[in-house]
Amino acid sequence: MRRDVLDRLHARLGRVDGVGASAHFAEALLRARARRLAMPRDGGGGAVAGKALLCCRIAAERYGLALDELSEVMELESWTPVPGQPQYLLGVTNLRGEIRPVLDLHALLGLPAPDAGARAWVIFADSGGSEVGLRVDALESIAAVDAGSLTVPADTGNGLPQRFVAGIGSDGLIVLDIGKILALDVLQDRRVDARHVS
Amino acid sequence: MTNAAQYSLWKSLKLRRKLFLVAMAFNLVLAGLIVFNVMVLRGQTQVSLTTDMAARQRMLSQKFAKEVVLANGGVTQDAQATMKLMRDSLTALTEGGDVVINPDTGARGELPPAPAEIRGRLADQAALLRQYETAAAVYLEGRRPEKLKDMLAVQTQLSESAETVVAMVTSAAAAGIRLMIVLEVVAGLVAAAIGMLISNLIAREIADPLAACSVAARKVAEGDLRIEPLEVRSADELAVLQESFNAMLGSQRDITLQIRTVCDSLTGSAAAILSSAQEQAAGTKQQAAAVQQITTTVEEISLSGKQVAERSRQVAGTAEAVASSGVAGLHAVREASAGMEAIREQTETVAENIITLSERTQAVGEIIATVNEIAEQSNLVALNAAIEAADAREQGRRFSVVANEIKNLADQAKEATSQVRGILEQTQKGINTSVMLTEEALKRVESGREKSTLSEQVIRQMSDNIQDSAHAFQQIVGATNQQQIGLEQVTQALHEIRQASQQTAVTTAQLERASLDISQLGHKLARTLEKFRL
C-alpha cells in the first residue's frame, strides 16, 4: 500500500513537471511572438482599406462600432440606476468627475440579460460633445471592414433591434449605427436636462 | 315325544309297544283257539263217555239176561243190581248227571243231557227196558222156556236200540268235530290275514323312513347338504332317528359353512402369511445387505478413524510448530506495526509539504491574476490609443500602428496568463489529488496500524488457540483409540447380527415354504369343501 501511494505521488509529480516545463512552453511562446513580428506592417493598416471598427461582444454575438465615432473605452466598475427611465437606460456612471448615461445594449437589442456578477466594459460614443456609454460584455479587437461588403438588413422590419443595425459583415459581425442609438428620445431629454444642470 | 299329541294314538305309539300289542293280539287269538280246542275236546270226552255208557247198556242187557238165566238155574245172582245200573245209566244218558262208570271200582262220571232226537230214542229204550224187566219177571215166575224166548227178543230189541243210540251219538260227535275243524281253519285264516296286514303296515312304517333316511344319508355322503329335512310323521323311534338325522344335517351344514368360512379366512390368512413371509424374506435380504453395508461402512470408519488418529497426531505436532511460528509472527507483526508508525509520520510530512505547495501555487495564481489585470489594462490603453489615433486621422496613423502593437502585446500577455492559469489549475488539481491521496494514505496507514494491532491480537489468540488445539488433538488421539476399540466391538456385533440375519433368512425361507404349503392346503381344503353343496 505504501508503495502504491508513492508510485501514484511520483506519477502525479512527473505530470506536473511535464506541464510546467517552462523551457518548452517559453520556446513555443517566443516562436509565436517572432512569427507575429515578422508579419508585414500593412496588416496593421487594415483601417486604410476600410472603415476601422471596434469589435466587442454582447451576450453571445459580436458587434462592431465605428472607431471614429468613439471617444473612450474603460471598465464599467459601477453605475447608478436612474429611476423612472426606460429599461434600456442602465444608469449613470462617473467618468473622471463627469456623469455619463450608460445604455444597456442587452435590453435595447433584445438579448438575454448578463449575469449579475459578470465583468462589464463601457464604450463611450462621441455625440456632439456629449458622450453616452454603451455597456458591452467584452472588448475584442480593432478590425477594418469594407463598407461595401456589409449586408444591409431590409427596412421592412419594424422591430427595434434592426433599427440600430448598419450592416452585417461576412464573418457575422454586426455593425451598429451609433447615430441611431444616440437619437433615442431619452437621450435627447437627457441632454436638455444635462445642459440645464451644467 | 314332544309332538306325540299331534299324531293319532297309533302314530304316537312307540314301535316297541306296537310290536308288543301285535304279539299280544296274536297270543289272544291263539289262546282263544286253544280254549276252543279244549272245550271241543272236553265235549268229545263226554261224547265218548256217553257212547261208552250207551254201548254198556247193550252189554248190561246181555249180562242181565245171563244172570236171569243163571238165577233160573239156581245160582243166586244179583240181577236186580244190574237192572238198576241200567236204569240209572239210562236216566243219566237222558237227563245228564252223575253215573257209575265202573261198578267194580265205583268210579263215577258226569254226563251231559242228551239232545232231543237222542232223547226220543232213549225214551224208546226206557220203554224197552221196562218190557225187558217185565219179561224177565215173567220168566222167573213161570220158568218156562218160551218166556225166555220173549225175554231174549226184548233183549235183542234193547241191544239194537242201544246200538242206534251209539250210532246217533257218534254221528253227532263227528258232525261237531267237522264243524270245529271248519271253524278253526276259518279263524286261523282270518288271523293270518290280519297278521300279514298288520305286519305289512308295521314293516312299511319302519322301512319307508329308513329308506328315506338311507337315501338322504347317501346324498349327504355325496356331499349334497341341500336336501330337504326328512318329514317326521310319527313319534316313534324312527321319528327320533329322523329328527336326529335332521339335526345332524343341520349341524353338518352349519359346520360345513363354518368350515368353509374358516377355510376362506384360512386361505386368506395363509396368503397374508405367505406375502408377509415373502416381505420378511425380502426385508431380511435388505437387512443382510444393509448389515453388509454397515459392516463395510464401519470398517471404513475404523480405517478413517485410524487415519484421523494419525492425522491428529501429525496435526498436534504441526500445531506445536505453528504455535512457535505464531510467536515469530507476533514479533513480525510488532515490527510491522512500528514500520506503519514510521510510514504514518512520513506521510504526514508529505502532506504538510503538499499543503505548502498548494499555498504557493495559490500565491502564483494571485500573481498571475495581477498580471492578467495589467494585460487587460494594457489592452484598454491600446484601444483608447487606437480611438485617439482614429480621431487624429492622418496624423494618428503611426500612433495607431503603435497602439495596435501594444494591443497585440497585451493580447499575448493575456494569452500567456491564461495558459499559465490553465497549468496552475492542473497543478492545483494534481495537488488536490495528492492531498486526497495523502489523506487516503494516512487513513490506510492508520487502518494498517489497527490491522497490525488486530493481527497481533489475532496471532496471540491464534497461538493460544493452537496450543488448545494441540491439546484437543491429543485428546482426539486418545478418543480415537477408544473409538477404535468401540468400532471393533461394533464390528463383532455386526458380525453376530449378520449371522443372526442369515439364520433369520433360513427361517424365513422355511416359513415361506410352510406358508406356501398352508396356502396350498387351504386351497385343497376349499376344493374339498366345494364338494359340499349348501
Side-chain angles (χ1 to χ4, degrees):
Chain A
M1 191 172 71
R2 189 178 59 180
R3 174 65 58 188
D4 188 31
V5 172
L6 279 178
D7 285 348
R8 286 168 73 177
L9 272 175
H10 278 302
R12 188 63 58 186
L13 284 173
R15 202 176 299 170
V16 172
D17 284 347
V19 175
S22 55
H24 178 69
F25 173 72
E27 192 181 357
L29 196 64
L30 287 174
R31 223 172 251 168
R33 197 172 290 172
R35 209 169 32 246
R36 207 171 285 149
L37 285 174
M39 280 164 68
R41 280 292 167 92
D42 292 343
V48 181
K51 197 173 179 180
L53 295 174
L54 174 61
C55 297
C56 60
R57 192 170 58 76
I58 303 170
E61 293 170 355
R62 286 178 75 227
Y63 288 87
L65 295 168
L67 200 64
D68 50 359
E69 292 182 47
L70 305 178
S71 65
E72 195 175 353
V73 294
M74 62 174 283
E75 187 171 2
L76 181 62
E77 289 174 348
S78 66
W79 68 89
T80 305
V82 179
Q85 295 299 329
Q87 195 184 358
Y88 56 81
L89 183 66
L90 186 66
V92 295
T93 188
N94 189 345
L95 174 65
R96 290 187 292 274
E98 291 184 17
I99 300 300
R100 306 284 187 213
V102 178
L103 293 180
D104 186 359
L105 285 183
H106 293 83
L108 197 63
L109 297 173
L111 296 169
D115 294 337
R119 293 179 75 181
W121 278 264
V122 61
I123 299 170
F124 288 102
D126 189 3
S127 169
S130 173
E131 291 179 352
V132 176
L134 302 173
R135 183 193 161 178
V136 298
D137 289 334
L139 297 169
E140 290 193 343
S141 60
I142 307 287
V145 176
D146 189 3
S149 69
L150 292 177
T151 305
V152 180
D155 280 339
T156 54
N158 55 0
L160 269 175
Q162 283 189 356
R163 201 167 60 166
F164 308 111
V165 174
I168 297 173
S170 58
D171 54 351
L173 183 72
I174 303 166
V175 179
L176 293 175
D177 190 341
I178 293 172
K180 283 183 180 169
I181 291 171
L182 296 183
L184 290 166
D185 290 343
V186 64
L187 295 178
Q188 296 302 321
D189 292 340
R190 187 75 194 146
R191 196 172 62 179
V192 170
D193 288 342
R195 275 180 183 170
H196 273 290
V197 169
S198 61
Chain B
M1 284 311 142
T2 54
N3 50 357
Q6 67 192 61
Y7 301 111
S8 61
L9 185 62
W10 173 250
K11 292 280 188 184
S12 64
L13 272 181
K14 292 273 189 187
L15 201 57
R16 191 177 56 211
R17 286 187 187 160
K18 281 182 195 170
L19 291 175
F20 180 71
L21 280 178
V22 170
M24 282 291 287
F26 274 107
N27 283 340
L28 280 177
V29 170
L30 203 58
L33 284 175
I34 287 168
V35 167
F36 188 61
N37 274 340
V38 166
M39 284 169 66
V40 167
L41 285 175
R42 250 181 102 185
Q44 208 61 40
T45 310
Q46 284 177 339
V47 165
S48 66
L49 189 59
T50 307
T51 309
D52 280 349
M53 287 301 115
R56 197 179 64 178
Q57 291 296 92
R58 201 170 122 198
M59 184 271 286
L60 283 176
S61 68
Q62 288 171 353
K63 186 186 177 186
F64 183 73
K66 192 177 74 174
E67 283 173 351
V68 165
V69 168
L70 286 173
N72 200 22
V75 179
T76 310
Q77 286 292 330
D78 194 6
Q80 288 305 315
T82 303
M83 182 47 75
K84 191 183 177 289
L85 185 61
M86 280 178 67
R87 224 179 269 126
D88 291 345
S89 294
L90 192 59
T91 306
L93 276 172
T94 306
E95 303 295 332
D98 212 14
V99 76
V100 177
I101 295 167
N102 194 340
D104 297 334
T105 59
R108 301 182 73 88
E110 185 83 22
L111 285 179
E117 48 200 306
I118 294 171
R119 188 171 289 187
R121 290 289 172 184
L122 287 175
D124 291 347
Q125 199 177 354
L128 285 172
L129 191 54
R130 273 185 309 266
Q131 281 180 6
Y132 189 39
E133 197 179 356
T134 310
V138 166
Y139 173 65
L140 284 175
E141 290 277 332
R143 298 212 192 166
R144 292 175 291 212
E146 69 271 19
K147 289 299 179 189
L148 184 58
K149 201 181 166 185
D150 288 343
M151 192 195 69
L152 283 176
V154 171
Q155 189 261 325
T156 304
Q157 282 182 348
L158 194 63
S159 288
E160 280 175 0
S161 174
E163 196 73 25
T164 307
V165 168
V166 167
M168 282 182 73
V169 168
T170 307
S171 96
I177 285 170
R178 274 198 303 274
L179 183 66
M180 272 250 304
I181 286 171
V182 168
L183 274 175
E184 284 200 3
V185 165
V186 167
L189 283 175
V190 167
I194 291 172
M196 277 176 70
L197 272 174
I198 290 173
S199 38
N200 190 22
L201 182 67
I202 292 175
R204 218 167 46 206
E205 279 188 354
I206 293 171
D208 286 356
L210 280 179
C213 223
S214 160
V215 168
R218 191 172 294 120
K219 282 184 180 175
V220 169
E222 284 168 358
D224 189 0
L225 298 179
R226 285 179 299 182
I227 54 174
E228 290 294 320
L230 295 173
E231 192 183 355
V232 180
R233 277 178 295 195
S234 63
D236 50 13
E237 287 86 346
L238 285 168
V240 174
L241 175 64
Q242 282 174 328
E243 280 170 357
S244 304
F245 189 86
N246 286 344
M248 182 196 80
L249 185 65
S251 66
Q252 192 165 359
R253 195 178 291 163
D254 291 346
I255 288 169
T256 310
L257 269 176
Q258 286 179 3
I259 287 173
R260 191 170 279 184
T261 313
V262 168
C263 174
D264 287 346
S265 57
L266 172 70
T267 311
S269 304
I273 290 172
L274 180 59
S275 66
S276 299
Q278 285 169 348
E279 284 175 9
Q280 195 180 348
T284 310
K285 279 176 190 167
Q286 286 180 354
Q287 186 186 349
V291 167
Q292 182 66 36
Q293 285 181 355
I294 290 170
T295 309
T296 312
T297 310
V298 166
E299 283 170 0
E300 285 174 2
I301 289 172
S302 171
L303 201 61
S304 59
K306 280 177 189 166
Q307 289 176 354
V308 166
E310 187 59 30
R311 285 288 163 84
S312 302
R313 234 169 262 130
Q314 290 176 0
V315 169
T318 313
E320 282 171 4
V322 169
S324 61
S325 311
V327 176
L330 210 55
H331 287 301
V333 167
R334 277 180 193 149
E335 286 173 7
S337 200
M340 283 285 176
E341 186 65 24
I343 288 170
R344 193 180 65 86
E345 287 172 2
Q346 286 175 4
T347 311
E348 279 175 357
T349 312
V350 168
E352 282 172 7
N353 288 341
I354 285 171
I355 288 164
T356 310
L357 183 62
S358 179
E359 286 169 359
R360 286 180 186 168
T361 308
Q362 196 148 4
V364 171
E366 286 168 6
I367 293 165
I368 289 297
T370 309
V371 170
N372 191 38
E373 190 65 25
I374 289 168
E376 279 186 356
Q377 292 296 331
S378 304
N379 189 26
L380 211 57
V381 167
L383 287 176
N384 280 324
I387 290 167
E388 291 301 326
D391 268 352
R393 306 288 176 185
E394 273 312 308
Q395 288 79 11
R397 171 159 301 211
R398 285 179 148 189
F399 186 62
S400 79
V401 171
V402 173
N404 204 9
E405 193 60 29
I406 291 168
K407 183 169 170 21
N408 280 339
L409 284 174
D411 285 344
Q412 286 175 22
K414 208 173 169 184
E415 191 181 350
T417 55
S418 77
Q419 284 177 353
V420 170
R421 182 173 290 159
I423 290 163
L424 274 179
E425 280 174 1
Q426 284 183 357
T427 308
Q428 193 62 45
K429 279 183 191 167
I431 285 166
N432 288 342
T433 311
S434 298
V435 167
M436 285 194 296
L437 287 172
T438 311
E439 281 178 359
E440 196 182 332
L442 274 176
K443 284 179 188 167
R444 288 190 181 177
V445 165
E446 190 64 30
S447 84
R449 202 177 58 166
E450 286 175 0
K451 280 177 184 170
S452 57
T453 309
L454 197 65
S455 300
E456 190 180 338
Q457 290 176 356
V458 168
I459 286 172
R460 187 173 291 141
Q461 204 173 353
M462 195 170 73
S463 180
D464 294 346
N465 288 344
I466 283 168
Q467 281 182 348
D468 289 349
S469 299
H471 290 309
F473 275 115
Q474 284 167 355
Q475 288 177 353
I476 286 173
V477 169
T480 312
N481 287 336
Q482 287 180 355
Q483 188 186 353
Q484 210 63 32
I485 295 167
L487 281 174
E488 282 171 5
Q489 290 175 354
V490 169
T491 309
Q492 184 64 28
L494 279 174
H495 188 63
E496 289 169 2
I497 287 173
R498 200 164 148 199
Q499 284 179 346
S501 161
Q502 286 170 352
Q503 285 179 359
T504 306
V506 172
T507 312
T508 308
Q510 288 175 356
L511 178 61
E512 195 178 342
R513 278 197 296 278
S515 55
L516 197 61
D517 289 347
I518 289 174
S519 180
Q520 287 172 352
L521 284 175
H523 286 303
K524 226 179 265 182
L525 181 58
R527 277 201 296 277
T528 309
L529 281 176
E530 276 167 9
K531 245 172 68 179
F532 287 106
R533 291 184 292 279
L534 295 174

